[in-house]
């Protein structure tokens, strides 16, 4: 797995995430992204590994209206 595959498959593994926006520069990148989507959700073991290794951040850091600029 690479980080792009992990990121895409992590997003589609979480039903609280409504959608995903991806960009690509060429047809090969589009095919690569499509192949990750077609692999489907991450196995539970991988999903848990990502979740347990992620830092805990304050909920307001997810809301741009609370960011100090």
């Amino acid at each position: 797995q690479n980080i792009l595959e992990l990121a895409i498959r992590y997003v589609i593994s979480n039903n609280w995430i409504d959608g995903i926006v991806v960009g690509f520069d060429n047809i090969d990148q589009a095919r690569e992204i499509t192949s990750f989507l077609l692999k489907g959700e991450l196995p539970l073991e991988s999903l848990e590994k990502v979740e347990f290794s992620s830092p805990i951040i304050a909920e307001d850091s997810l809301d741009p209206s609370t960011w100090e600029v």
Side-chain angles (χ1 to χ4, degrees):
Q1 288 184 352
N2 66 39
I3 194 70
L4 177 59
E5 178 179 353
L6 179 63
I8 290 172
R9 294 182 67 200
Y10 177 81
V11 168
I12 65 173
S13 296
N14 287 282
N15 62 5
W16 55 270
I17 300 174
D18 294 326
I20 181 172
V21 176
V22 296
F24 51 89
D25 292 322
N26 56 55
I27 193 70
D28 290 333
Q29 289 177 351
R31 286 185 180 122
E32 179 182 39
I33 292 166
T34 301
S35 75
F36 299 152
L37 291 168
L38 293 173
K39 284 185 176 183
E41 298 179 0
L42 288 171
L44 184 57
E45 179 182 313
S46 297
L47 190 58
E48 288 174 345
K49 195 173 194 177
V50 170
E51 291 174 353
F52 289 123
S53 65
S54 299
I56 297 173
I57 59 172
E59 190 171 324
D60 62 347
S61 55
L62 300 174
D63 181 359
S65 69
T66 65
W67 297 352
E68 294 182 28
V69 288

